[in-house]
Short mmCIF file of all heavy atoms in Angstrom, two decimals:
data_model
loop_
_atom_site.label_atom_id
_atom_site.label_comp_id
_atom_site.label_asym_id
_atom_site.label_seq_id
_atom_site.Cartn_x
_atom_site.Cartn_y
_atom_site.Cartn_z
N LYS K 48 -6.63 -25.39 -1.07
CA LYS K 48 -7.71 -26.35 -1.48
C LYS K 48 -7.14 -27.54 -2.17
O LYS K 48 -7.75 -28.63 -2.25
CB LYS K 48 -8.76 -25.65 -2.30
CG LYS K 48 -9.45 -24.50 -1.52
CD LYS K 48 -10.53 -23.80 -2.39
CE LYS K 48 -11.23 -22.71 -1.62
NZ LYS K 48 -10.37 -21.58 -1.41
N ASN K 89 -6.29 -14.98 -1.59
CA ASN K 89 -6.67 -14.51 -2.88
C ASN K 89 -5.66 -14.94 -3.93
O ASN K 89 -6.00 -15.41 -5.05
CB ASN K 89 -6.82 -12.97 -2.96
CG ASN K 89 -7.18 -12.45 -4.29
OD1 ASN K 89 -8.22 -12.66 -4.80
ND2 ASN K 89 -6.25 -11.67 -4.87
N ASP K 92 -5.85 -18.79 -4.50
CA ASP K 92 -7.10 -19.21 -5.20
C ASP K 92 -7.00 -18.87 -6.69
O ASP K 92 -7.46 -19.58 -7.62
CB ASP K 92 -8.30 -18.56 -4.58
CG ASP K 92 -8.61 -19.18 -3.23
OD1 ASP K 92 -8.10 -20.30 -2.99
OD2 ASP K 92 -9.42 -18.58 -2.46
N LEU K 93 -6.41 -17.68 -6.99
CA LEU K 93 -6.21 -17.34 -8.42
C LEU K 93 -5.21 -18.21 -9.04
O LEU K 93 -5.43 -18.73 -10.21
CB LEU K 93 -5.72 -15.88 -8.49
CG LEU K 93 -6.77 -14.75 -8.25
CD1 LEU K 93 -6.10 -13.37 -8.30
CD2 LEU K 93 -7.84 -14.78 -9.29
N ALA K 94 -4.10 -18.50 -8.38
CA ALA K 94 -3.05 -19.36 -8.94
C ALA K 94 -3.55 -20.79 -9.22
O ALA K 94 -3.18 -21.34 -10.26
CB ALA K 94 -1.84 -19.38 -8.02
N GLN K 95 -4.41 -21.30 -8.32
CA GLN K 95 -4.84 -22.63 -8.49
C GLN K 95 -6.18 -22.80 -9.28
O GLN K 95 -6.62 -23.91 -9.55
CB GLN K 95 -5.05 -23.32 -7.16
CG GLN K 95 -3.79 -23.52 -6.40
CD GLN K 95 -3.90 -24.47 -5.22
OE1 GLN K 95 -4.91 -24.33 -4.41
NE2 GLN K 95 -2.97 -25.39 -5.05
N GLY K 96 -6.74 -21.65 -9.73
CA GLY K 96 -7.99 -21.73 -10.48
C GLY K 96 -9.15 -22.00 -9.58
O GLY K 96 -10.18 -22.54 -10.09
N GLU K 97 -9.08 -21.68 -8.33
CA GLU K 97 -10.15 -21.88 -7.41
C GLU K 97 -11.08 -20.67 -7.22
O GLU K 97 -11.96 -20.76 -6.47
CB GLU K 97 -9.59 -22.29 -6.03
CG GLU K 97 -8.77 -23.59 -6.05
CD GLU K 97 -9.70 -24.83 -6.24
OE1 GLU K 97 -10.93 -24.73 -5.94
OE2 GLU K 97 -9.17 -25.87 -6.60
N LYS K 98 -10.81 -19.66 -8.02
CA LYS K 98 -11.64 -18.42 -7.82
C LYS K 98 -12.00 -17.89 -9.18
O LYS K 98 -11.15 -17.78 -10.10
CB LYS K 98 -10.80 -17.40 -7.03
CG LYS K 98 -11.59 -16.10 -6.61
CD LYS K 98 -10.76 -15.35 -5.64
CE LYS K 98 -11.56 -14.22 -5.06
NZ LYS K 98 -10.85 -13.44 -4.08
N GLU K 99 -13.28 -17.44 -9.33
CA GLU K 99 -13.76 -16.96 -10.58
C GLU K 99 -13.21 -15.51 -10.71
O GLU K 99 -13.18 -14.70 -9.68
CB GLU K 99 -15.27 -16.94 -10.67
CG GLU K 99 -15.84 -16.52 -11.98
CD GLU K 99 -17.35 -16.64 -12.04
OE1 GLU K 99 -17.73 -17.86 -12.39
OE2 GLU K 99 -18.04 -15.69 -11.78
N PHE K 100 -12.81 -15.12 -11.91
CA PHE K 100 -12.39 -13.72 -12.17
C PHE K 100 -12.94 -13.28 -13.48
O PHE K 100 -13.48 -14.10 -14.28
CB PHE K 100 -10.84 -13.72 -12.16
CG PHE K 100 -10.18 -14.59 -13.18
CD1 PHE K 100 -9.93 -14.17 -14.48
CD2 PHE K 100 -9.86 -15.88 -12.82
CE1 PHE K 100 -9.36 -14.95 -15.43
CE2 PHE K 100 -9.23 -16.72 -13.75
CZ PHE K 100 -8.94 -16.29 -15.11
N ARG K 101 -12.87 -12.01 -13.80
CA ARG K 101 -13.44 -11.43 -14.99
C ARG K 101 -12.30 -10.80 -15.80
O ARG K 101 -11.50 -10.04 -15.29
CB ARG K 101 -14.52 -10.43 -14.65
CG ARG K 101 -15.71 -11.05 -14.05
CD ARG K 101 -16.84 -10.02 -13.84
NE ARG K 101 -16.49 -8.94 -12.96
CZ ARG K 101 -16.45 -8.95 -11.69
NH1 ARG K 101 -16.85 -10.05 -11.02
NH2 ARG K 101 -16.12 -7.95 -10.97
N THR K 102 -12.35 -11.06 -17.08
CA THR K 102 -11.37 -10.42 -18.04
C THR K 102 -12.15 -9.79 -19.15
O THR K 102 -13.41 -9.78 -19.11
CB THR K 102 -10.33 -11.45 -18.56
OG1 THR K 102 -11.07 -12.41 -19.40
CG2 THR K 102 -9.64 -12.20 -17.46
N GLY K 105 -14.78 -12.12 -20.44
CA GLY K 105 -15.92 -12.46 -19.61
C GLY K 105 -15.43 -13.15 -18.30
O GLY K 105 -14.26 -13.09 -17.95
N SER K 106 -16.36 -13.91 -17.61
CA SER K 106 -15.98 -14.61 -16.42
C SER K 106 -15.28 -15.90 -16.78
O SER K 106 -15.72 -16.66 -17.69
CB SER K 106 -17.30 -14.95 -15.65
OG SER K 106 -17.91 -13.74 -15.22
N GLU K 107 -14.21 -16.14 -15.99
CA GLU K 107 -13.41 -17.39 -16.20
C GLU K 107 -13.06 -17.95 -14.86
O GLU K 107 -13.09 -17.31 -13.85
CB GLU K 107 -12.17 -17.06 -17.02
CG GLU K 107 -12.45 -16.52 -18.44
CD GLU K 107 -11.15 -16.41 -19.19
OE1 GLU K 107 -10.38 -17.35 -19.35
OE2 GLU K 107 -10.92 -15.27 -19.70
N ARG K 108 -12.65 -19.24 -14.95
CA ARG K 108 -12.25 -19.91 -13.71
C ARG K 108 -11.17 -20.93 -14.09
O ARG K 108 -11.40 -22.07 -14.55
CB ARG K 108 -13.36 -20.69 -13.03
CG ARG K 108 -13.06 -21.14 -11.54
CD ARG K 108 -14.24 -21.93 -11.03
NE ARG K 108 -14.02 -22.35 -9.71
CZ ARG K 108 -14.56 -21.74 -8.59
NH1 ARG K 108 -15.23 -20.65 -8.73
NH2 ARG K 108 -14.25 -22.24 -7.43
N ARG K 109 -9.90 -20.53 -14.03
CA ARG K 109 -8.75 -21.34 -14.40
C ARG K 109 -7.49 -20.77 -13.73
O ARG K 109 -7.62 -19.70 -13.09
CB ARG K 109 -8.56 -21.30 -15.95
CG ARG K 109 -8.44 -19.85 -16.48
CD ARG K 109 -8.11 -19.82 -17.93
NE ARG K 109 -8.13 -18.46 -18.47
CZ ARG K 109 -7.20 -17.50 -18.27
NH1 ARG K 109 -6.09 -17.81 -17.53
NH2 ARG K 109 -7.25 -16.32 -18.76
N PRO K 110 -6.37 -21.46 -13.78
CA PRO K 110 -5.16 -20.91 -13.13
C PRO K 110 -4.87 -19.57 -13.74
O PRO K 110 -4.46 -19.45 -14.89
CB PRO K 110 -4.08 -21.92 -13.42
CG PRO K 110 -4.87 -23.27 -13.44
CD PRO K 110 -6.14 -22.89 -14.17
N PHE K 111 -5.03 -18.54 -12.97
CA PHE K 111 -4.93 -17.10 -13.50
C PHE K 111 -3.60 -16.70 -14.02
O PHE K 111 -3.50 -16.03 -15.07
CB PHE K 111 -5.33 -16.20 -12.37
CG PHE K 111 -5.43 -14.72 -12.73
CD1 PHE K 111 -6.62 -14.16 -13.24
CD2 PHE K 111 -4.33 -13.88 -12.61
CE1 PHE K 111 -6.63 -12.80 -13.59
CE2 PHE K 111 -4.33 -12.55 -12.96
CZ PHE K 111 -5.49 -12.01 -13.46
N GLY K 138 -6.71 -6.78 -14.46
CA GLY K 138 -6.88 -7.46 -13.16
C GLY K 138 -7.88 -8.51 -13.18
O GLY K 138 -8.36 -8.92 -14.28
N PRO K 139 -8.36 -8.94 -12.04
CA PRO K 139 -9.31 -10.01 -11.98
C PRO K 139 -10.78 -9.52 -12.00
O PRO K 139 -11.70 -10.35 -11.89
CB PRO K 139 -8.99 -10.66 -10.63
CG PRO K 139 -8.55 -9.54 -9.79
CD PRO K 139 -7.85 -8.59 -10.71
N GLY K 140 -11.02 -8.27 -12.11
CA GLY K 140 -12.35 -7.73 -12.18
C GLY K 140 -12.89 -7.42 -10.84
O GLY K 140 -14.10 -7.09 -10.65
N TYR K 141 -12.13 -7.39 -9.80
CA TYR K 141 -12.46 -7.01 -8.44
C TYR K 141 -11.30 -6.41 -7.69
O TYR K 141 -10.17 -6.56 -8.17
CB TYR K 141 -13.06 -8.19 -7.65
CG TYR K 141 -12.08 -9.33 -7.51
CD1 TYR K 141 -11.07 -9.30 -6.47
CD2 TYR K 141 -12.11 -10.43 -8.35
CE1 TYR K 141 -10.16 -10.36 -6.33
CE2 TYR K 141 -11.23 -11.48 -8.18
CZ TYR K 141 -10.28 -11.50 -7.16
OH TYR K 141 -9.36 -12.47 -7.07
N GLN K 142 -11.55 -5.80 -6.59
CA GLN K 142 -10.43 -5.24 -5.81
C GLN K 142 -10.52 -5.73 -4.40
O GLN K 142 -11.58 -5.96 -3.86
CB GLN K 142 -10.50 -3.70 -5.82
CG GLN K 142 -10.24 -3.13 -7.23
CD GLN K 142 -10.28 -1.57 -7.21
OE1 GLN K 142 -10.90 -0.96 -6.35
NE2 GLN K 142 -9.49 -0.98 -8.11
#
Side-chain angles (χ1 to χ4, degrees):
K48 300 179 179 70
N89 178 66
D92 289 344
L93 285 175
Q95 293 193 317
E97 296 289 340
K98 189 171 188 176
E99 187 174 277
F100 58 89
R101 295 185 300 278
T102 66
S106 294
E107 298 185 55
R108 192 184 184 99
R109 56 175 173 74
F111 182 89
Y141 59 82
Q142 294 182 333

